[in-house]
Amino acid sequence: MSTNLPWTIDSIAHALPHPELRATFMREATFTDVRNLPGILDRWVRFIEDFEAGRDRVEHLRTLVRENGRLPETYTADLIAVSEGELRAAADHGSRGAA
């Protein structure tokens, strides 16, 4: 968030860069036990702040690709930190509805 205004559920939702992220956030905020809500909100605020912190780097890479048709040879992608619980949840979600 570019201002020093406090985060709200609405401002978090509007700051997320993709509709699916907004939907996931809203599901988590809506269906989480209120005692666990501060942790959920903190995690999403950190996500947004990390995303915004990397925006200049991404724009620079996008410019390089437009100019050269490819990423620079020195480019290395950062790994995304995923917890064991998130991996399990994703695996469980993928197996639902399978015949």
Side-chain angles (χ1 to χ4, degrees):
M1 198 169 189
S2 60
T3 67
N4 290 329
L5 296 175
W7 286 103
T8 65
I9 289 178
D10 185 61
S11 65
I12 293 170
H14 280 88
L16 292 167
H18 194 277
E20 288 184 31
L21 286 173
R22 286 189 288 280
T24 299
F25 164 71
M26 292 305 291
R27 276 191 305 275
E28 287 186 15
T30 302
F31 296 111
T32 294
D33 182 310
V34 294
R35 293 171 291 229
N36 299 330
L37 197 53
I40 297 292
L41 298 176
D42 287 343
R43 183 169 54 87
W44 281 99
V45 167
R46 277 192 313 274
F47 172 85
I48 294 165
E49 290 171 345
D50 291 347
F51 180 83
E52 290 298 323
R55 186 179 295 274
D56 289 341
R57 179 174 178 260
V58 169
E59 291 303 321
H60 175 69
L61 290 170
R62 190 177 282 171
T63 299
L64 291 174
V65 168
R66 272 194 296 259
E67 291 171 356
N68 304 310
R70 60 183 169 77
L71 289 168
E73 291 180 21
T74 57
Y75 171 76
T76 56
D78 295 333
L79 294 176
I80 297 172
V82 179
S83 72
E84 185 177 339
E86 289 169 315
L87 287 173
R88 279 198 190 114
D92 290 343
H93 179 70
S95 65
R96 287 187 208 157

